[in-house]
Amino acid sequence: MSRQRYIGLMSGTSMDGVDAVLIQMENNRWLAAEAHTFLPYSDELKQDLLDLQQTGDNELHRSQLLSQQLSHLYAETVHLLLADTGLNPADIRAIGCHGQTIRHAPQTGYSIQIGNLALLAELTGIFTIGDFRSRDLAAGGQGAPLVPAFHQALFGDSSQTRVTLNLGGIANISVLPPHAPAFGFDTGPGNMLMDAWVKHIWQLDFDADGARAAQGSRISSLLDTLLAHPYFSLPAPKSTGRELFSLTWLQAYLNPQWQPHDILRTLLDYTAISAARAITEYAPQAEAVYVCGGGIRNRLLMDTLQQQLSAPLRSTAALQLDPQWVEAAAFGWLAACWINGIHSNPVRATGARHPCVLGAGYYA
């Protein structure tokens, strides 16, 4: 049995920056998450990535330049993590890199995450694994969400059903039954619409602690309209992204007489209610809901969620993993699965026809 270290890199739908987490595994058995670091995106990089969400002039060229730019930032994050922990590249078995999603279209069989993996291997001197979604898509799956199998490995319990709720740009759940495979899906917007609105109105990256939303009141007619989105009536497995829930989409439903704080409060309620409805429908027996992702720092969002749920809300910290570390740690775990030839796609979550080993590797 050999103990090995991996680094997981995650840059999510919120496009706020890169999380890196150092994990330790014993073959395919989880041992610990040891360290974390984060580097933010510049405003220019974030805008350039957002611009790639839509078709535009010379987008293939722009995507390749951004892919290289991201790899330099990923490598900088890795080097910072190594410096913080006193480790060398030779101490790391592999990097697992999610990349930055710019298009997600499982209905047509593809999902694009940019980030030059060969360049990342070259810059770090560490074997690099990425492109985790393609194999699941090739097997007929959605390619997302990929984390339920990781959640089950770390957070599952033999005596009770648990739910993990990730409040990133998109919100997604993993349902962890005691004696059955995990399943899950994207429940709808997480922080994405709220972040886009506060950026549009106040030029802020996010609504700290829900303070601005707390100054507003729900617009019931708007909430009802947003909850009528056909995505919510689709059966699982399903996944979504900025292609469906964008600021442009939202603005088509807004009345110019409505106050910005009221719109923001309605968007917060939209995230909370859509997530809570999914949990109530698919895991009514859940003993607890464990939350991770940036949304856990929004106190109003958490309070509103708890009002919608009978099961208690808890942080994944109660299960020995910091909520800010969970997604990046998952991609370190997926890298370990690749190294050990372990099937890691959660077929009940993605809808793939069969289990697969996910990812593609690049030698340093």
Side-chain angles (χ1 to χ4, degrees):
M1 303 293 283
S2 61
R3 294 191 176 195
Q4 297 177 324
R5 287 186 168 98
Y6 296 83
I7 292 176
L9 297 176
M10 179 66 188
S11 45
T13 314
S14 292
M15 294 187 181
D16 53 354
V18 185
D19 283 289
V21 170
L22 176 71
I23 69 168
Q24 189 173 157
M25 301 282 292
E26 190 169 58
N27 292 342
N28 65 327
R29 184 172 70 89
W30 173 271
L31 295 178
E34 297 183 301
H36 166 266
T37 194
F38 172 81
L39 284 182
Y41 285 169
S42 67
D43 290 343
E44 181 182 7
L45 175 57
K46 181 173 182 178
Q47 188 57 56
D48 288 344
L49 290 167
L50 287 170
D51 289 343
L52 276 182
Q53 300 288 314
Q54 306 296 327
T55 57
D57 181 58
N58 215 13
E59 63 180 307
L60 291 177
H61 177 65
R62 289 187 290 118
S63 70
Q64 291 306 298
L65 293 181
L66 284 170
S67 186
Q68 295 174 47
Q69 185 177 347
L70 281 171
S71 288
H72 280 277
L73 184 62
Y74 293 158
E76 185 181 351
T77 311
V78 169
H79 290 144
L80 181 60
L81 185 61
L82 292 177
D84 288 346
T85 55
L87 297 173
N88 298 308
D91 297 319
I92 308 303
R93 180 62 183 88
I95 292 170
C97 179
H98 174 263
Q100 181 63 64
T101 300
I102 58 168
R103 305 285 173 87
H104 183 63
Q107 70 279 4
T108 51
Y110 75 88
S111 183
I112 300 174
Q113 288 73 44
I114 63 171
N116 188 320
L117 300 171
L119 179 58
L120 181 56
E122 180 72 20
L123 293 171
T124 61
I126 300 171
F127 187 82
T128 297
I129 303 164
D131 190 24
F132 289 102
R133 299 192 187 279
S134 292
R135 187 65 186 90
D136 184 85
L137 284 156
Q142 296 266 322
L146 295 181
V147 292
F150 170 71
H151 290 160
Q152 187 170 48
L154 265 69
F155 305 144
D157 186 272
S158 61
S159 63
Q160 61 180 233
T161 295
R162 293 171 170 175
V163 172
T164 303
L165 169 63
N166 175 51
L167 291 172
I170 291 292
N172 54 70
I173 60 170
S174 298
V175 181
L176 313 176
H179 302 294
F183 65 95
F185 55 91
D186 293 343
T187 64
N191 305 308
M192 190 171 64
L193 285 175
M194 292 184 285
D195 290 351
W197 185 248
V198 297
K199 187 71 170 181
H200 176 65
I201 297 298
W202 294 288
Q203 291 73 57
L204 297 172
D205 291 330
F206 58 93
D207 180 21
D209 222 15
R212 279 177 166 76
Q215 298 174 45
S217 300
R218 177 190 297 179
I219 304 169
S220 295
S221 60
L222 175 61
L223 180 62
D224 291 344
T225 298
L226 299 181
L227 287 170
H229 194 294
Y231 178 79
F232 299 114
S233 61
L234 293 175
K238 58 183 178 179
S239 56
T240 188
R242 292 181 183 274
E243 293 77 14
L244 288 186
F245 298 102
S246 67
L247 180 62
T248 301
W249 165 79
L250 171 67
Q251 287 173 320
Y253 298 105
L254 300 184
N255 185 323
Q257 302 301 314
W258 290 336
Q259 296 301 309
H261 291 90
D262 294 342
I263 293 171
L264 181 58
R265 177 54 188 259
T266 305
L267 295 176
L268 183 145
D269 289 349
Y270 187 39
T271 291
I273 291 172
S274 56
R277 285 182 176 180
I279 293 167
T280 300
E281 179 178 356
Y282 284 87
Q285 74 280 32
E287 296 290 332
V289 177
Y290 292 89
V291 185
C292 59
I296 198 171
R297 297 195 301 265
N298 186 325
R299 188 182 312 168
L300 182 61
L301 176 59
M302 293 293 288
D303 289 346
T304 305
L305 263 167
Q306 186 62 86
Q307 291 166 11
Q308 300 290 324
L309 292 168
S310 56
L313 281 182
R314 296 171 182 158
S315 166
T316 56
L319 301 175
Q320 286 71 59
L321 190 56
D322 187 292
Q324 296 302 123
W325 297 22
V326 173
E327 280 208 296
F331 285 90
W333 181 86
L334 284 167
C337 289
W338 191 95
I339 291 291
N340 290 285
I342 303 296
H343 294 154
S344 56
N345 62 324
V347 294
R348 288 189 68 195
T350 67
R353 290 184 293 272
H354 54 77
C356 305
V357 178
L358 302 180
Y362 292 79
Y363 286 95

